[in-house]
């Protein structure tokens, strides 16, 4: 995708120059662009590079200072929750030992000073947050967690405090691309000959050189974000800021991307912002006890074919969560671009299911979620603002057969 402003023109009608058949939809294109500008002006910071895309540096577990003391802040947005308490290895999993305090906006926080917790909250410590809600209390994985791991005995996931002693040292810049893109789509776990789940390191050592040798200049990685059900191919995401632990550590993913750059390959991430896993133990569903915190309430918040949850792109905190996710993957891991999965499901209220899309009228009118279209424009502009050479791709399957139902973990 090109930058939204470049593609649509100053008033959203630039596409007509490329396709004169769109002339009769000029006013609708203008209206769509106006809605995008309205969403942009109403972001928490009023612009794409402010707090609207820096949620990962504020929410979750981040180093900081309180009253002149260094330590770790934990913040969580849970407006309808009754109480939150951070639990984990660091406090013996005692519920209530480290309660959070709520502000007027529904953001809960607590501070763990180094003078008390430096030897207790350490790199790879397991953590969860106990959330008390109107429907009961349960231990949840923090929404902005940067790593989640599965217990081999119980199969249960928990978050990890990820703070390695050394930051990864990058060796290679992103390569320039001469001519068109030749993209190799790959799933790290399924890329090896052995009958097992492959790793980032195996992919780096065995697969990357072969991809470069046969003439590709870019790879598209599937299943990067953590997902509880391996059979979903990574399309039922639970932890949006966490690298899938099945394949290795965040640093090993960085090594893969760095090595790809050294081989002349750009790396595109398959990013899933069209829906989220329905699971409550691992994901965002009913985090604060409601069905409408991150998602649409009721039936509109559930995808009937994918058995998953659908984001409400009209909420400022949902926009902050998703835009911050875009920025996190591009900056922290130096991905060269993003391939947005399932945008048909996002854009159309019927998710494109059973819809033939036989005329241009099908692409406008009452079947369109204008907030979703606005979000995609925001995400696209953010990517190109951060990196003018970013590659952005949108997967649109409008008019094709209905998608296959993906099972989930219950």
């Amino acid at each position: 995708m090109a930058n939204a402003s470049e593609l649509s023109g100053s008033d959203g009608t630039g596409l007509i120059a490329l396709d004169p058949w769109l002339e009769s939809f000029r006013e609708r294109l203008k209206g769509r662009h106006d809605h995008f500008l309205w969403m942009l002006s109403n972001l928490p910071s009023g612009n794409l590079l402010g707090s609207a895309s820096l949620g990962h540096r504020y929410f979750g577990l981040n180093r900081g200072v309180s009253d002149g003391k260094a330590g770790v802040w934990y913040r969580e947005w849970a407006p309808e929750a009754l109480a939150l308490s951070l639990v984990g290895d660091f406090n013996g999993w005692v519920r209530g030992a480290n309660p959070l305090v709520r502000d007027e906006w529904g953001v809960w926080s607590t501070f763990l000073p180094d003078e008390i917790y430096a030897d207790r909250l350490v790199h790879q410590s397991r953590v969860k947050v106990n959330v008390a809600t109107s429907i009961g209390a349960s231990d949840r994985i923090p929404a902005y967690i940067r790593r989640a791991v599965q217990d081999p005995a119980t199969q249960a996931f928990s978050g990890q405090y990820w703070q390695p002693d050394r930051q990864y040292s990058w060796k290679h810049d992103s390569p320039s691309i001469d001519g068109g893109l030749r993209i190799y789509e790959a799933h790290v776990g399924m890329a090896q000959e052995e009958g097992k789940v492959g790793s980032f390191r195996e992919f780096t050592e065995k697969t990357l050189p072969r991809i470069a040798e046969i003439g590709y200049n870019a790879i598209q990685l599937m299943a990067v974000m953590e997902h509880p059900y391996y059979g979903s191919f990574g399309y039922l995401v639970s932890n949006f800021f966490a690298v899938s632990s099945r394949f290795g550590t965040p640093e090993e993913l960085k090594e893969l991307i760095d090595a790809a750059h050294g081989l002349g390959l750009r790396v595109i991430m398959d990013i899933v912002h069209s829906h989220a896993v329905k699971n409550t133990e691992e994901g965002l569903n009913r985090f604060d006890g409601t069905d409408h915190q991150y998602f649409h309430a009721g039936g509109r918040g559930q995808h009937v074919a994918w058995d998953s949850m659908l984001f409400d792109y009209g909420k400022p905190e949902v926009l902050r969560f998703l835009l911050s996710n875009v920025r996190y993957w591009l900056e922290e891991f130096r991905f060269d671009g993003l391939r947005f999965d399932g945008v048909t499901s996002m854009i159309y209220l019927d998710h494109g299911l059973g819809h033939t899309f036989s005329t241009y009228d099908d692409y406008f009118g009452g079947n369109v979620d204008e907030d979703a279209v606005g979000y995609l424009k925001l995400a696209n502009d953010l990517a190109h603002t951060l990196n003018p050479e970013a590659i952005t791709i949108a997967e649109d399957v409008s008019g094709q057969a209905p998608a296959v139902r993906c099972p989930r973990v219950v």
Side-chain angles (χ1 to χ4, degrees), residues 74 76 81 83-98 100 126-133 135-143 145 148-149 154 156-159 238-239 279-289:
Y74 171 55
E76 194 75 63
L84 273 72
S85 175
L86 188 63
V87 296
D89 296 333
F90 75 97
N91 67 3
W93 296 89
V94 177
R95 280 77 179 160
N98 292 89
L100 278 68
R126 292 179 304 151
V127 292
K128 283 191 172 183
V129 57
N130 183 261
V131 185
T133 74
I135 59 173
S138 60
D139 293 342
R140 305 296 298 263
I141 298 176
I145 200 72
V149 292
T154 66
F157 278 84
S158 61
S238 53
N239 313 110
N279 304 22
T280 54
E281 290 188 9
E282 297 89 0
L284 299 172
N285 189 19
R286 295 192 177 273
F287 192 95
D288 72 350

Side-chain angles (χ1 to χ4, degrees), residues 258-335:
D258 203 8
H261 288 166
L263 292 169
L265 296 166
R266 287 196 177 185
V267 187
I268 302 165
M269 176 182 169
D270 208 351
I271 195 166
V272 184
H273 283 180
S274 50
H275 64 140
V277 73
K278 209 171 194 176
N279 304 22
T280 54
E281 290 188 9
E282 297 89 0
L284 299 172
N285 189 19
R286 295 192 177 273
F287 192 95
D288 72 350
T290 71
D291 64 351
H292 56 265
Q293 180 185 357
Y294 285 94
F295 312 110
H296 286 289
R300 187 178 174 188
Q302 301 187 34
H303 198 298
V304 295
W306 296 347
D307 197 24
S308 56
M309 305 303 295
L310 299 169
F311 287 106
D312 182 349
Y313 304 100
K315 287 187 174 180
E317 287 299 343
V318 174
L319 292 177
R320 190 204 304 258
F321 181 80
L322 296 175
L323 290 172
S324 298
N325 198 236
V326 166
R327 186 166 188 171
Y328 172 72
W329 293 111
L330 290 177
E331 288 190 334
E332 181 70 18
F333 291 87
R334 300 196 182 184
F335 277 101

Side-chain angles (χ1 to χ4, degrees), residues 11 28 41 46 65 100 120 127 153 162 174 180 183 242 259 319 339 366 369 388 407:
D11 64 353
R28 293 186 186 180
S41 67
V65 175
L100 278 68
R120 294 159 61 180
V127 292
W162 198 256
S174 176
I183 302 172
L319 292 177
R339 181 260 196 188
D369 184 340

Side-chain angles (χ1 to χ4, degrees), residues 186-190 200 220-227 230 232-235 237 242-247 269-272:
H187 185 293
V188 168
M190 302 178 187
F200 290 132
Q220 176 186 311
L221 287 183
M222 302 166 60
V224 173
M225 305 149 91
E226 190 60 82
H227 48 286
Y230 188 61
S232 73
F233 302 100
Y235 292 114
V237 174
V243 173
S244 179
S245 57
R246 287 186 180 88
F247 313 135
M269 176 182 169
D270 208 351
I271 195 166
V272 184

